[in-house]
Amino acid sequence: LGSWMPTEGTFQGDFSAPECYYCPAGYYGATSDLTEPGQCGQCTRGHFCEMGTTNPEPCPPGRYSPVFGAPSPEFCLPCAP
């Protein structure tokens, strides 16, 4: 989870030991059998997804993320008082 592996035919090199690739920052991989990076889900508002995230992480208490695809907790902004 949190990664994808190319299918045979798209993989360059020795398929007997293929590599898994992490979903990029801003995306998550909550299911298995992902075969391309486009299958990773975009991180939802109010959450952030660092590289290889399995499920979106909620922003810390008192903070929020107004955008989709936040790649780190630094994108979580302070809530208005």
Side-chain angles (χ1 to χ4, degrees):
L1 298 177
S3 61
W4 63 277
M5 182 185 320
T7 58
E8 191 169 6
T10 60
F11 182 74
Q12 301 296 319
D14 179 11
F15 198 74
S16 65
E19 290 185 52
C20 287
Y21 299 95
Y22 289 119
C23 289
Y27 294 83
Y28 67 99
T31 60
S32 57
D33 299 326
L34 300 178
T35 58
E36 57 186 57
Q39 293 174 318
C40 297
Q42 188 175 36
C43 204
T44 55
R45 285 186 190 150
H47 298 79
F48 64 94
C49 299
E50 295 177 319
M51 183 171 63
T53 298
T54 302
N55 289 301
E57 294 288 328
C59 288
R63 300 181 80 78
Y64 75 101
S65 175
V67 299
F68 290 98
S72 69
E74 286 79 26
F75 282 74
C76 296
L77 307 174
C79 294

